[in-house]
Amino acid sequence: MKPKKVTNDDLEKIIAGVKTQAVEAIGNYLYKGFRIQVSKYNLSGAERVQLLYQRRRKEGLCIVSGTKVGKKNPSTGRLYRLCEFHRKKIDKKK
């Protein structure tokens, strides 16, 4: 993933998040030409996958490929977790 450009105020919020051990502080940031990577130490594979899944769902991306999801689930009103290609391949395989 590309680093997110941050300002002084954003950087202070990230540091406050690190101090409180907030999961929202995790990410790659670009500040005045410096790349800052914030991540948890010694995560298990399942924990890494869970964080990736949560981040992609929040951003409206397919959890498999990371492409933008366009359709919403009519019963819940939320975006689907998979793009159209992976919905056909995984969910509608039955």
Side-chain angles (χ1 to χ4, degrees), residues 58-77:
K58 186 174 66 175
E59 295 174 3
L61 303 175
C62 174
I63 62 168
V64 177
S65 62
T67 58
K68 191 74 175 166
V69 176
K71 291 192 173 186
K72 290 186 177 183
N73 185 336
S75 62
T76 62

Side-chain angles (χ1 to χ4, degrees), residues 4-14 30-31:
K4 178 183 171 186
K5 290 184 180 180
V6 293
T7 62
N8 289 338
D9 296 334
D10 296 332
L11 189 58
E12 289 176 10
K13 290 177 186 175
I14 294 166
L30 186 63
Y31 178 72

Side-chain angles (χ1 to χ4, degrees), residues 47-88:
E47 290 169 323
R48 272 194 307 277
V49 169
Q50 183 181 21
L51 288 173
L52 176 66
Y53 177 92
Q54 289 173 351
R55 185 173 61 245
R56 284 187 173 175
R57 280 300 300 262
K58 186 174 66 175
E59 295 174 3
L61 303 175
C62 174
I63 62 168
V64 177
S65 62
T67 58
K68 191 74 175 166
V69 176
K71 291 192 173 186
K72 290 186 177 183
N73 185 336
S75 62
T76 62
R78 293 175 57 200
L79 290 172
Y80 284 114
R81 65 188 183 92
L82 299 170
C83 62
E84 198 62 32
F85 174 77
H86 286 106
R87 283 187 60 227
K88 288 178 184 172

